[in-house]
Amino acid sequence: MLYKMYINGEWHKGNGEEQNVVSPVNGEVIGQIPLGTAEDVDLAVKAADASKHLIENMTVFERAEILNQIADAVSKRQQELAELLTREHGKPITEALGEVATTAQAFREAGEQIKWMNSEIIPTRDKNKRAFAYRRPKGVYGVISPWNFPLGSASTYYIAPGLAAGNAIVWVPATSTSAVASEFMKCVEETDLPKGILNLVIGRGPVAGDALVVHERTSAIGFTGSTKTGEIIHSRAGAKSVLLELGGNGPTIVFEDADIEHAATSLVDASFVNAGQICTSTERVLVHESVADGFAEALMERIENIKLGDPFDETTVMGPVHNANTAETVADHVKDAVIKGAKVLSKTCGQEWPTEMYVEPVIVDYVTKEMKLNTEETFGPIIPIVRYKDKDELIELIESSPYRLSSAVFSRNTEKALKFAESLKFGFVHINEASNYWETQIPAGGTAGSASGYGRSGGRASIEEMSEVCTVILSMTGENKDE
């Protein structure tokens, strides 16, 4: 089966080659995708540019109605979308069903949020002047989305709020999860969204993605993915508006007065969701040395409940990682840590798996500052424990990584935890909660100047980022003017 592109309301085979879609679950080829070219991107951008006035001129209530239509169509296809998502990505079917439900929710929420984002009247010194500020769409918005949440991230961060704001969109998803993106577009096809407003181009980042970024008719770019790719996009976008959520290696800090049992439960529950393939996942745990032994034991007790296996088995907690690169990175980072003196606590079960992407969950203790597990983003099912002695060493450890996306603090002393959280320069900080906890209406993003990106996504924040303020100044003249 060929999972086609969707351009200007028509299904499109593209002008390039085709590529097999290989499932990480069992190595099965489940179909093919076209590899779009710069010409395909040009066709999509021009269609979006020609149609953008249709959505820009809609009332927010008309846009909201269409967003609800998309949500209804997604909900109707929830099971089939989730099954394809699991086959193509590898995440457990229970997680896939949740992601599809979140996708539908994103469109409903954006439809509600845009209704209540009021304009403002700005006070003026001149009593005969009136200044009005309102939000308008940026135009043609290019969206390049990641493979870890192929529907959830794309819809929540960009597509739903982008349409709510009145933009026309050209979407280039990660090639490795483009099949489910193509199936998602069948939901869009069922609605009253005008042709050309939302277009899907499937293709490799250096080809289709780059063509989208540099196209003269795209006004803005949204991207979620690696820091390296984000930096390339930023440099190629020139003066265009960019919204970037990039890598994360934020610390989870466990103070000596923390509830160790609660902290361990929170981290195990969160660290292995999506096989740890979340930019806000617990990448490193900085634990005070006085409680580190007890904390490690508590983690070990709980990791036994993380069942790795067939993602279509509803009792499975963790499926395979998505690709070989992730599996290799996990192995490389663990090897680096062991060579430098760290200790692997968890043990493999010795079972033979259908593909090399079945990476067993692992805890690594005695990780030190110079190890890759501390300084780099692993993006896999692993909990590194870094022991610290005092506050000075803790701050040094926090600063040893360039990422500033999400972090967490565990302490029974709420005042102490809050003060420390406020001192951390991260996009968002959790207190007595794992670093990957998030709800779709909460602003998320990295701290400016860090390796974690720029801007805020989620709810009203996405709508604000994907629109701009226009100010109109009216001069009262003639009979309307005050004497």
Side-chain angles (χ1 to χ4, degrees):
M1 176 179 179
L2 179 64
Y3 294 94
K4 297 180 181 180
M5 297 185 274
Y6 190 75
I7 299 174
N8 201 25
E10 303 292 338
W11 294 101
H12 190 65
K13 291 177 62 176
N15 299 306
E17 303 173 354
E18 294 179 5
Q19 175 178 292
N20 284 338
V21 180
V22 181
S23 173
V25 177
N26 52 19
E28 173 190 5
V29 175
I30 60 177
Q32 291 75 39
I33 55 170
L35 294 178
T37 63
E39 288 75 20
D40 297 314
V41 171
D42 182 62
L43 185 66
V45 173
K46 287 179 177 176
D49 188 54
S51 303
K52 64 185 180 183
H53 67 282
L54 297 176
I55 191 167
E56 182 176 358
N57 293 333
M58 288 181 185
T59 68
V60 294
F61 293 92
E62 290 171 327
R63 291 182 209 152
E65 174 57 31
I66 291 175
L67 293 177
N68 278 310
Q69 290 175 10
I70 296 174
D72 290 342
V74 170
S75 295
K76 185 173 68 175
R77 294 173 177 261
Q78 182 181 15
Q79 188 67 37
E80 62 184 277
L81 284 171
E83 289 177 0
L84 177 57
L85 176 53
T86 292
R87 285 198 301 273
E88 186 177 32
H89 181 278
K91 64 179 58 182
I93 186 64
T94 50
E95 289 185 20
L97 285 165
E99 180 173 342
V100 177
T102 298
T103 298
Q105 175 182 305
F107 285 94
R108 296 190 200 284
E109 289 186 351
E112 287 302 307
Q113 289 156 352
I114 192 62
K115 293 176 186 176
W116 315 119
M117 295 186 70
N118 298 327
S119 302
E120 65 174 320
I121 299 176
I122 302 169
T124 58
R125 291 182 175 85
D126 187 334
K127 64 181 179 180
N128 293 314
K129 300 290 191 299
R130 300 292 183 270
F132 307 90
Y134 66 95
R135 305 202 73 86
R136 66 182 178 192
K138 290 188 174 179
V140 177
Y141 216 108
V143 171
I144 304 173
S145 63
W147 51 257
N148 61 335
F149 290 97
L151 296 183
S153 178
S155 297
T156 303
Y157 282 8
Y158 305 113
I159 298 175
L163 294 177
N167 296 288
I169 295 174
V170 178
W171 175 25
V172 177
T175 53
S176 61
T177 50
S178 289
V180 74
S182 179
E183 285 296 293
F184 166 81
M185 293 305 293
K186 292 180 180 179
C187 300
V188 176
E189 189 180 31
E190 296 179 7
T191 72
D192 295 330
L193 187 70
K195 292 182 178 181
I197 298 301
L198 178 57
N199 304 273
L200 174 74
V201 179
I202 298 172
R204 296 191 178 102
V207 179
D210 186 68
L212 181 63
V213 171
V214 302
H215 200 288
E216 61 182 7
R217 298 193 190 183
T218 53
S219 303
I221 301 295
F223 170 74
T224 296
S226 73
T227 297
K228 181 179 179 181
T229 302
E231 289 172 345
I232 294 171
I233 288 173
H234 188 271
S235 66
R236 295 284 286 162
K240 295 177 183 178
S241 171
V242 292
L243 173 55
L244 305 173
E245 185 183 275
L246 309 180
N249 186 26
T252 290
I253 300 149
V254 180
F255 285 122
E256 61 270 31
D257 62 352
D259 182 336
I260 297 303
E261 298 298 319
H262 170 68
T265 298
S266 298
L267 297 189
V268 167
D269 287 348
S271 297
F272 304 119
V273 170
N274 204 24
Q277 300 165 123
I278 307 174
C279 53
T280 58
S281 184
T282 303
E283 288 272 340
R284 53 190 181 128
V285 189
L286 313 182
V287 187
H288 192 272
E289 61 181 9
S290 65
V291 295
D293 287 343
F295 178 72
E297 290 174 6
L299 287 179
M300 283 296 295
E301 291 174 1
R302 288 158 175 78
I303 201 173
E304 299 296 329
N305 298 321
I306 305 299
K307 178 186 174 183
L308 174 66
D310 178 4
F312 283 100
D313 181 344
E314 293 190 358
T315 66
T316 292
V317 176
M318 196 179 85
V321 297
H322 180 59
N323 54 46
N325 286 339
T326 299
E328 290 167 3
T329 298
V330 172
D332 175 64
H333 285 192
V334 172
K335 180 180 179 181
D336 170 77
V338 171
I339 289 173
K340 294 175 180 175
K343 181 181 179 182
V344 177
L345 300 184
S346 49
K347 301 181 183 298
T348 60
C349 67
Q351 181 175 340
E352 291 188 8
W353 301 104
T355 72
E356 63 182 338
M357 270 72 90
Y358 285 81
V359 178
E360 301 199 32
V362 63
I363 299 169
V364 182
D365 199 358
Y366 298 99
V367 172
T368 55
K369 186 175 69 171
E370 72 280 0
M371 296 177 186
K372 292 180 181 179
L373 284 174
N374 179 64
T375 59
E376 299 181 13
E377 183 180 36
T378 306
F379 215 65
I382 183 166
I383 300 180
I385 300 175
V386 187
R387 300 174 179 230
Y388 73 91
K389 296 179 180 179
D390 52 37
K391 185 175 181 181
D392 289 341
E393 185 179 12
L394 174 60
I395 298 300
E396 185 179 351
L397 286 167
I398 293 171
E399 297 298 323
S400 63
S401 173
Y403 299 101
R404 293 290 181 273
L405 184 58
S406 178
S407 60
V409 177
F410 285 85
S411 171
R412 284 190 173 95
N413 187 328
T414 304
E415 181 179 347
K416 169 185 173 182
L418 181 58
K419 287 182 177 180
F420 193 82
E422 290 175 344
S423 72
L424 294 174
K425 304 300 182 184
F426 288 85
F428 50 122
V429 184
H430 303 73
I431 297 177
N432 294 326
E433 180 58 75
S435 61
N436 72 330
Y437 181 82
W438 185 68
E439 295 184 14
T440 55
Q441 76 278 8
I442 298 174
T447 297
S450 74
S452 294
Y454 173 82
R456 292 293 177 268
S457 301
R460 290 170 58 98
S462 283
I463 296 176
E464 289 171 353
E465 292 279 0
M466 300 183 77
S467 60
E468 61 187 8
V469 174
C470 177
T471 304
V472 175
I473 300 175
L474 170 67
S475 179
M476 309 288 283
T477 60
E479 62 184 32
N480 295 322
K481 185 175 182 179
D482 290 339
E483 298 297 337

